[in-house]
Amino acid sequence: MGDHPIAAAPVAATTTAAAAATPAKAAALRSGRNKFIIIGVSAAVLITAASLIAYFATKGNKSQGASAGSPGSSTSPGTGSGSKPTGQKLFGYFGADAMANGVDILLGTLPPSTDSSTYQKDLAYYCNTGYFDTINLAFLNEFGGGDNHFRFTFGGFSIPNYVTSGTYIYTGGQTETNSPAVVSSYLNLGKDIKTCQANGVKVIVSLGGDKVSDYKFSPGDGKRYAQLFYDMFLEGTHPVRPFGPGVVLDGIELDIEKNPAYPGPSPWTPEMIDMINTLRALSPKTILAIVPQCYLKDLNYNGSDQNVGAVIPAVADKIDYLIVQYYNNPTCSYPFNFNYYEWTKLFKGKIVVGLAGDWTSAISGGFLEPGPLQAVYDEIKSDPQFYGFSVYDVSSSTPPALSKSPATYTNPPPTTYSKALKDVLSGVTVGSGFPSQAQLGITTDKQYSKRCGGTWVNANQTCSNKACTSNADCGKFEQCFDYMRNC
């Protein structure tokens, strides 16, 4: 759960297509049992009526600062867990090229696209849309081991904007060892970073990402890498600055999606705490964030995230917000027991709800079309901790990406999802909304629809009654949902 896939670039050294936000689609939910149709329709009518009454009763009662989430407004960094949102923001992930990751809403997982026309645009293009307040560079997905080395893997660089591969390797020395073409690509990306910042868009580097990438923490790495990243990406100085000597990023986020000691406590916890504390001491104004998965039901971790759950309370006063990942995590995502308010009890600061950019950006589900997006927003918009949405990723949620659905599969229109996210955060009604299934009392695994497939769309249409006994039922690179293994 919780992987973000990075699409393969033609020259990239590493492909993490199963990573970062392995994409998916979940259209309309069906019970699959005819004998419950009448009961379900009756319940839906009652709930819809109640929702309409609540909607019109509260219309116009937007959360504090909801309309202030425009590109260029600051995030008030460094204020820690006691701070309150000053406006709801839209965060976007750039670099993994989810638009070209190869997932099809009917056929499931396919090889990543090598068609350059499907690659993400340059960073400045997305910043210039006016949709995003913060862009997260995804991902610095290899580091650790005590030698200060690291790797960026950005899929599908926009040729000719960035010249060549999105893979950049730092070997830990004091000299540049990448080819001139790679160096040129990253310097061009650095120019775009400055363009974004000039337009008021924050640019943050995301550490980690998918659980299959080779990142780890050896003893001492927390402080060691905090100093290195401060010197190479923040206000420090270093002979090697990948984005250029004058480019200072706005922050760093920890997106750690694995625990090498599962089901025990993560041995990386002390190092992650040291990293956050050291970065905060080195740079009081730098934005620092943590990205946990939404799932909180693992009994081994007492209602916390298995990867960073112990880190968050230890550094709550040092970080600016959490981005809780509500995709590729079906049992805690809308409409299955959406658990935002459980997170507000674990962390008292700002919380960003992480969403997928389209059906194909979350292979295990979690994409919210305008109707459910409106429902989620209406449910949490007035909570003072709600800080906005993030989208994985900008390439799939922003034109020229296409928006495929069963109805438009053969001739899909350009996506409007980034606009819908920005609009809803500004108080614009983007859909009718409908209540979470959790409000119907659906709490056990067997009460969920028995669907299995590469994406929710395919599952809804072709295998809603298919028994699924293991992940292998869905194919080598597809995933059955955890709660379906015994269905």
Side-chain angles (χ1 to χ4, degrees):
M1 278 195 326
D3 304 75
H4 312 277
I6 300 176
V11 199
T14 304
T15 297
T16 52
T22 11
K25 169 129 189 165
L29 294 169
R30 306 191 302 261
S31 70
R33 299 175 183 270
N34 290 337
K35 65 181 180 179
F36 292 133
I37 290 178
I38 296 177
I39 296 173
V41 170
S42 300
V45 170
L46 291 174
I47 291 168
T48 301
S51 299
L52 288 172
I53 293 171
Y55 170 75
F56 286 111
T58 59
K59 187 175 182 181
N61 183 25
K62 300 176 181 62
S63 61
Q64 180 180 3
S67 62
S70 58
S73 54
S74 66
T75 58
S76 185
T79 50
S81 65
S83 62
K84 297 298 182 183
T86 56
Q88 293 163 358
K89 314 293 185 183
L90 182 56
F91 300 72
Y93 282 85
F94 169 86
D97 195 19
M99 181 170 66
N101 57 26
V103 174
D104 185 277
I105 65 171
L106 297 182
L107 302 178
T109 306
L110 302 174
S113 172
T114 58
D115 179 0
S116 61
S117 69
T118 67
Y119 291 162
Q120 64 194 355
K121 299 296 185 180
D122 57 273
L123 177 63
Y125 168 84
Y126 297 105
C127 291
N128 288 337
T129 63
Y131 296 139
F132 304 101
D133 300 284
T134 296
I135 296 287
N136 303 317
L137 302 178
F139 297 90
L140 193 158
N141 65 335
E142 181 181 321
F143 60 87
D147 60 1
N148 272 356
H149 88 286
F150 64 80
R151 176 197 296 263
F152 279 103
T153 304
F154 293 152
F157 258 28
S158 303
I159 300 171
N161 296 300
Y162 298 132
V163 182
T164 185
S165 166
T167 300
Y168 178 101
I169 300 172
Y170 175 67
T171 58
Q174 297 292 303
T175 59
E176 180 64 76
T177 59
N178 289 278
S179 70
V182 170
V183 171
S184 176
S185 292
Y186 273 71
L187 292 177
N188 285 339
L189 180 57
K191 294 176 183 177
D192 280 358
I193 291 171
K194 296 187 77 171
T195 296
C196 294
Q197 292 171 329
N199 290 341
V201 180
K202 308 291 185 183
V203 181
I204 291 174
V205 63
S206 185
L207 308 180
D210 62 274
K211 61 188 176 185
V212 301
S213 289
D214 188 19
Y215 58 85
K216 54 186 173 290
F217 287 91
S218 298
D221 274 347
K223 293 180 180 178
R224 185 182 298 110
Y225 274 94
Q227 183 68 58
L228 180 70
F229 294 151
Y230 172 77
D231 291 340
M232 296 185 75
F233 305 126
L234 302 175
E235 302 97 325
T237 58
H238 193 279
V240 179
R241 299 276 294 193
F243 302 118
V247 178
V248 178
L249 300 183
D250 296 289
I252 292 176
E253 68 170 30
L254 274 179
D255 185 1
I256 304 302
E257 300 188 13
K258 58 185 177 179
N259 171 0
Y262 180 85
S266 175
W268 296 346
T269 293
E271 299 304 325
M272 289 187 278
I273 292 172
D274 279 351
M275 176 177 280
I276 294 293
N277 284 333
T278 304
L279 283 168
R280 178 56 70 222
L282 288 169
S283 184
K285 293 184 178 180
T286 287
I287 299 169
L288 299 176
I290 295 178
V291 185
Q293 309 302 298
C294 60
Y295 188 63
L296 296 172
K297 299 301 183 183
D298 192 319
L299 297 180
N300 296 296
Y301 298 95
N302 299 315
S304 66
D305 175 74
Q306 67 188 41
N307 305 311
V308 294
V311 179
I312 293 169
V315 297
D317 62 334
K318 305 296 194 305
I319 58 177
D320 295 282
Y321 51 83
L322 301 181
I323 297 180
V324 182
Q325 187 175 309
Y326 283 100
Y327 55 94
N328 290 333
N329 292 288
T331 54
C332 53
S333 295
Y334 184 92
F336 300 125
N337 289 319
F338 177 62
N339 67 353
Y340 168 85
Y341 285 104
E342 291 182 48
W343 276 97
T344 64
K345 298 174 183 176
L346 295 175
F347 178 70
K348 298 302 181 183
K350 305 170 186 178
I351 297 177
V352 178
V353 171
L355 301 177
D358 74 344
W359 292 114
T360 69
S361 293
I363 195 170
S364 297
F367 176 63
L368 300 182
E369 288 188 323
L373 173 64
Q374 186 70 50
V376 166
Y377 180 71
D378 288 345
E379 183 175 340
I380 63 179
K381 66 181 180 181
S382 297
D383 184 77
Q385 290 181 242
F386 175 54
Y387 196 43
F389 292 121
S390 77
V391 61
Y392 183 88
D393 68 9
V394 296
S395 75
S396 61
S397 68
T398 313
L402 303 178
S403 179
K404 285 190 176 182
S405 70
T408 65
Y409 183 74
T410 58
N411 188 27
T415 182
T416 58
Y417 198 61
S418 291
K419 182 179 185 301
L421 289 167
K422 190 65 177 179
D423 282 348
V424 77
L425 290 173
S426 301
V428 177
T429 300
V430 299
S432 59
F434 53 85
S436 168
Q437 296 298 302
Q439 298 178 21
L440 300 177
I442 298 176
T443 58
T444 65
D445 291 351
K446 289 186 179 180
Q447 288 176 296
Y448 294 122
S449 298
K450 296 177 181 177
R451 45 176 53 89
C452 168
T455 70
W456 280 11
V457 171
N458 187 46
N460 283 332
Q461 294 208 341
T462 64
C463 50
S464 61
N465 294 315
K466 177 180 176 181
C468 112
T469 57
S470 71
N471 284 339
D473 290 358
C474 293
K476 185 176 180 180
F477 297 108
E478 299 171 340
Q479 301 175 31
C480 287
F481 302 147
D482 286 344
Y483 54 76
M484 297 178 184
R485 292 184 179 181
N486 297 319
C487 66

